[in-house]
């Protein structure tokens, strides 16, 4: 029981461990999934923001390019005015109007073909201190741009340069030079100065500059002009676009800070949704698992309790052994039967404490045979065990191989039934049977008494006549001479010898009855059939002579001896013979023959049987009689006891044989019974 509990506990622990590891795995998986989700969402967000900023940068560049192209047209119109003869004042008025309109322009100059400053207009929106006297001659960048423009015969930009303001600050500026048209070389150059900062504020859409920082940089990253809020964060996004102008290439850089604000809500929503789904799923799975587990546990508990109750209430002892013969399990009934506790028995394999010492060797041999794999007889076998107090008791053992759930032979299972009580009852019934048989025998004897008197009559009458004859001879001898006396004495001697013979005969008759009644030997012995018949025939003949029955005996030659309780079988024969002769005691029946036959019955390799049959030509057995034939105290005769046949059948069955009867033709009955014979050489 303890081992069963231990195994059960181990199984439960294993189950709990498996459940815990499943849980850990689940939590790890969910965590991994969430981390991956956040990371992927972050990456996606970042790529979206990066795309957006790239798009914004290229939009900004396109805007600037379009605005510069528009400006070019206005400036070209101004140059046309310059080439005409409308005068300086008109040009200046136009230029001022242009500067008011386009705040990105800082200054417009009219320079002669030799690049000398003719006239200029400054933007009212920019407070730059121009050193006009210096600027009479072209600025180096201006000269370069104009040289370029002339060479290309199209407008060109200078590289940017820093122009200080009066207030200590300054602006990054770019010169834009429009060369005179090919037809009018004397018209001179129109030079417009752009402020890079103003280009960004004026030409780039406000939407773009509000959300991000837009700047012009040099190739090495130095910022030339910057617009927008410089908000810093851990995750900055940045895009660069080239603004290539004739004579100058600028880099437009855009820096964004769209990190958390747009990323967080999306990921959070996704996270919450994913986690909710995961949680609900886990919960459903958990509830289902829990319910299933509870049910399984309940069923297991029920089955366990039922098994235990069954084991505890069994009166049959149960014992399991493994393939090495070690006891692995005993139930309480077995412990109670042998008086040893389970602890004293478990694990034992040789010379078990309940084996009687005198039989231990034999049991050990039997166990070895069993362990060698020989299946025990299905119907079980009887054995003797010893209780703890030393008393022996008989048990019936039924053994079977122990096959586990996967069909593997793991040992032997045995069931034990204490058959002491059964034995006691059997003993009682045997004793009462014996008493009954003795009674039946006495009844036979009673019947025989009349036969005896009849039979004894003959020898007694003979004795008495011999005695009378002898007396007469003795009387006559008194008067006779010596010679006659001698002759008479000889006759007297003969008569006395006859008397002795007859007395002996009478004695034999009485002895045969006496022997029959007194014989007590119950042991089974091998007796030739002939001898059995020889013992009962004198008694049979007694009655046969009285009833005028001819007795014929026919024993098949070469029969093996019968293995039987001699006295009882003789009584069976006597009873059947007597019944047969009584059945023929009818005035109508003249042909009175009793046939007694002994033959070999069906035999096989393990056993041999003899069949005895007694055939009479009597009145036969009616159906009514046949139904009650073997019932004790059933008789049709006035002086009968009705015990004969029931006793006969009991005796025959005790020997393992069977008894039957059938009608005989043309009249009478045949009674047959079988008895075991001693197996012959070569038959076993
Ligand atoms: P009992 O001889 O004391 O009557 P049995 O048990 O020997 O008791 O026989 C029971 C009855 O069976 C007899 O009374 C008789 O009627 C019947 N019976 C037995 N043997 C024969 C037989 N060979 N033929 C006809 N009837 C028989």
């Amino acid at each position: 029981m303890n081992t069963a509990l231990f195994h059960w506990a181990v199984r439960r622990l294993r189950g709990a461990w498996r459940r815990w590891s499943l849980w850990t795995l689940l939590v790890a998986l969910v965590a991994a999934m969430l981390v991956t989700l956040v990371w992927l969402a972050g990456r996606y967000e970042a790529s979206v923001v990066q795309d957006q900023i790239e798009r914004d940068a290229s939009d900004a560049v396109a805007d600037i390019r379009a605005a510069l192209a528009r400006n070019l047209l206005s400036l070209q119109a101004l140059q046309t005015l310059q080439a005409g003869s409308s005068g300086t004042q008109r040009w200046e008025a136009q230029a001022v109007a242009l500067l008011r309109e386009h705040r990105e322009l800082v200054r417009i100059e009219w320079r002669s073909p030799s690049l000398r400053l003719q006239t200029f207009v400054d933007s009212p929106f920019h407070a730059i201190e121009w050193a006009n006297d210096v600027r009479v001659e072209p600025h180096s960048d201006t000269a370069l741009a104009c040289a370029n423009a002339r060479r290309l015969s199209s407008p060109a930009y200078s590289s940017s340069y820093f122009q200080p303001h009066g207030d200590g600050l300054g602006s990054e500026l770019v010169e834009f030079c429009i060369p005179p048209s090919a037809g009018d070389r004397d018209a001179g150059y129109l030079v417009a100065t752009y402020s890079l900062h103003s280009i960004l504020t004026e030409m780039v859409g406000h939407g773009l500059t509000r959300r991000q920082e837009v700047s012009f940089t040099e190739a090495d990253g130095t910022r030339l002009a910057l617009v927008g809020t410089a908000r810093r964060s851990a995750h900055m996004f940045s895009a660069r676009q080239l603004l290539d102008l004739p004579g100058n290439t600028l880099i437009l850089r855009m820096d964004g800070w769209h990190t958390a604000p747009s990323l967080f809500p999306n990921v959070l929503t996704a996270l919450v949704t994913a986690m909710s789904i995961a949680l609900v799923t886990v919960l459903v799975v958990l509830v289902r698992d829990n319910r299933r587990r509870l049910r399984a546990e309940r069923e297991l508990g029920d089955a366990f309790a039922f098994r235990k109750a069954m084991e505890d209430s069994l009166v049959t002892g149960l014992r399991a052994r493994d393939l090495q013969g070690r006891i692995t399990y005993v139930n309480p009934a077995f412990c109670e039967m042998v008086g040893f506790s389970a602890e004293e028995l478990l694990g034992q394999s040789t010379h078990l404490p309940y084996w009687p010492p005198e039989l231990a060797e034999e049991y050990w041999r039997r166990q070895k045979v069993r362990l060698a794999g020989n299946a025990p007889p299905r119907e079980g076998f009887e054995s003797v065990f010893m209780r703890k107090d030393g008393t022996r008791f008989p048990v019936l053992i039924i053994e079977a191989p122990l096959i586990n759930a996967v069909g593997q032979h793991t040992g032997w299972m045995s069931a034990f039934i204490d058959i002491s009580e059964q034995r006691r009852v059997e003993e009682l019934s045997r004793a009462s049977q014996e008493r009954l048989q003795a009674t039946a025998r006495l009844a036979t004897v009673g019947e025989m008494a009349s036969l005896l008197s009849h039979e004894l009559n003959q020898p007694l009458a003979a004795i008495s006549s011999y005695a009378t004859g002898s007396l007469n001879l003795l009387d006559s001898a008194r008067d006779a001479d010596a010679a006659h006396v001698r002759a008479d004495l000889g006759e007297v001697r003969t008569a006395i010898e006859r008397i002795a013979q007859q007395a002996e005969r009478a004695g034999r008759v009485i002895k045969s009855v006496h022997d029959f009644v007194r014989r007590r030997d119950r042991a089974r012995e091998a007796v030739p059939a002939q001898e059995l018949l020889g013992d009962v025939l004198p008694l049979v003949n007694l009655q046969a002579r009285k009833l005028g029955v001819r007795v014929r005996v026919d024993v098949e030659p070469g029969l093996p001896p019968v293995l039987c309780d001699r006295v009882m079988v003789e009584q069976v024969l006597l009873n059947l013979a007597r019944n047969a002769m009584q059945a023929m005691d009818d005035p109508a029946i003249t042909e009175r023959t009793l046939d007694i036959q002994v033959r070999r019955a069906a035999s096989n390799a393990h056993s041999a049987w003899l069949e005895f049959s007694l055939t009479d030509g009597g009145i036969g057995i009616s159906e009514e009689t046949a139904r009650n034939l073997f019932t004790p105290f059933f008789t049709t005769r006035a002086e009968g006891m009705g015990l004969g046949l029931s006793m006969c059948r009991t005796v025959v069955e005790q020997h393992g044989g069977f008894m039957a009867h059938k009608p005989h033709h043309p009249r009478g009955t045949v009674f047959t019974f079988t008895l075991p014979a001693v197996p012959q050489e070569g038959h076993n």
Side-chain angles (χ1 to χ4, degrees), residues 526-540:
V527 194
Q530 197 74 56
E531 219 172 277
L532 282 174
L533 291 173
D535 280 352
V536 283
L537 273 178
L539 296 171
V540 172

Side-chain angles (χ1 to χ4, degrees), residues 458-468 498-504 506:
Q458 277 185 23
L460 286 178
I463 287 172
S464 123
S465 60
Y466 284 129
T468 316
R498 293 275 157 77
I499 288 173
Q501 276 174 3
Q502 291 298 327
E504 199 186 321

Side-chain angles (χ1 to χ4, degrees), residues 10-11 46 70 195 286 302 345 379 383 422 485 509 542 594:
V10 166
R11 266 202 306 281
R70 275 197 306 277
S195 155
L286 251 183
D302 285 353
L345 297 174
E379 67 278 7
S383 191
Q422 198 178 325
V485 169
V509 170
L542 279 181
L594 169 62

Side-chain angles (χ1 to χ4, degrees), residues 65-368:
R65 231 185 238 123
L68 287 177
R70 275 197 306 277
N71 284 2
L72 174 63
L73 291 178
S74 309
L75 289 170
Q76 274 173 341
L78 198 62
Q79 198 190 25
T80 318
L81 202 66
Q82 174 188 339
S85 52
S86 46
T88 316
Q89 274 188 348
R90 200 154 158 235
W91 181 90
E92 278 178 358
Q94 282 289 328
V96 166
L98 196 63
L99 283 177
R100 280 184 191 284
E101 206 179 319
H102 297 279
R103 299 184 182 196
E104 65 276 16
L105 287 172
V106 177
R107 178 187 172 100
I108 302 175
E109 290 174 350
W110 178 1
R111 287 184 181 269
S112 68
S114 59
L115 287 179
R116 274 194 70 87
L117 184 67
Q118 300 295 311
T119 179
F120 67 93
V121 181
D122 279 339
S123 165
F125 303 111
H126 297 273
I128 297 174
E129 269 190 29
W130 299 102
N132 283 325
D133 43 344
V134 176
R135 282 194 70 105
V136 169
E137 288 306 318
H139 187 272
S140 60
D141 288 303
T142 317
L144 214 61
C146 287
N148 258 342
R150 158 165 285 194
R151 199 179 68 242
L152 298 170
S153 303
S154 75
Y157 290 86
S158 75
S159 49
S160 66
Y161 63 91
F162 185 74
Q163 176 68 44
H165 295 185
D167 53 6
L169 298 170
S171 293
E172 199 71 26
L173 304 177
V174 169
E175 300 288 346
F176 180 46
C177 184
I178 305 174
S181 61
D184 191 0
R185 289 268 167 210
D186 300 333
Y189 296 87
L190 186 92
V191 178
T193 310
Y194 277 106
S195 155
L196 288 184
H197 184 263
S198 301
I199 288 180
L200 292 178
T201 50
E202 296 304 320
M203 296 183 168
V204 177
H206 283 295
L208 297 181
T209 47
R210 207 175 31 246
R211 275 189 279 116
Q212 51 234 328
E213 196 178 72
V214 188
S215 57
F216 279 120
T217 65
E218 279 180 13
D220 62 358
T222 317
R223 283 173 205 263
L224 302 174
L226 184 135
V227 172
T229 335
R231 201 191 299 176
R232 298 283 144 202
S233 92
H235 300 284
M236 289 297 294
F237 295 92
S238 145
R240 285 154 202 263
Q241 282 285 329
L242 286 182
L243 174 66
D244 49 346
L245 303 168
N248 189 5
T249 300
L250 289 166
I251 297 169
L252 183 106
R253 174 174 160 173
M254 210 167 250
D255 291 299
W257 54 87
H258 303 260
T259 46
S262 61
L263 180 74
F264 192 65
N266 286 350
V267 173
L268 197 69
T269 319
L271 256 180
V272 169
T273 315
M275 271 170 68
S276 315
I277 292 172
L279 272 179
V280 169
T281 316
V282 164
L283 213 69
V284 168
V285 168
L286 251 183
V287 167
R288 223 186 269 167
D289 176 71
N290 210 37
R291 215 180 287 157
R292 208 178 303 147
R293 209 176 62 226
L294 279 178
R295 199 173 50 228
E297 257 171 29
R298 211 170 33 241
E299 280 171 5
L300 193 77
D302 285 353
F304 193 72
F306 177 66
R307 214 191 87 182
K308 187 161 161 28
M310 216 165 62
E311 283 172 4
D312 292 352
S313 53
L314 259 187
V315 291
T316 312
L318 292 179
R319 178 196 70 188
R321 284 187 299 183
D322 61 15
L323 287 175
Q324 282 72 47
R326 279 189 298 267
I327 298 182
T328 52
Y329 166 74
V330 282
N331 74 340
F334 185 78
C335 295
E336 201 179 315
M337 202 183 278
V338 293
F340 290 96
S341 67
E343 287 72 33
E344 287 171 291
L345 297 174
L346 290 177
Q348 303 257 30
S349 65
T350 51
H351 296 88
L352 300 171
Y354 51 80
W355 285 359
E358 67 277 12
L359 295 170
E361 273 312 308
E362 184 193 329
Y363 288 5
W364 174 229
R365 272 198 303 280
R366 190 169 69 195
Q367 178 158 324
K368 274 201 287 199

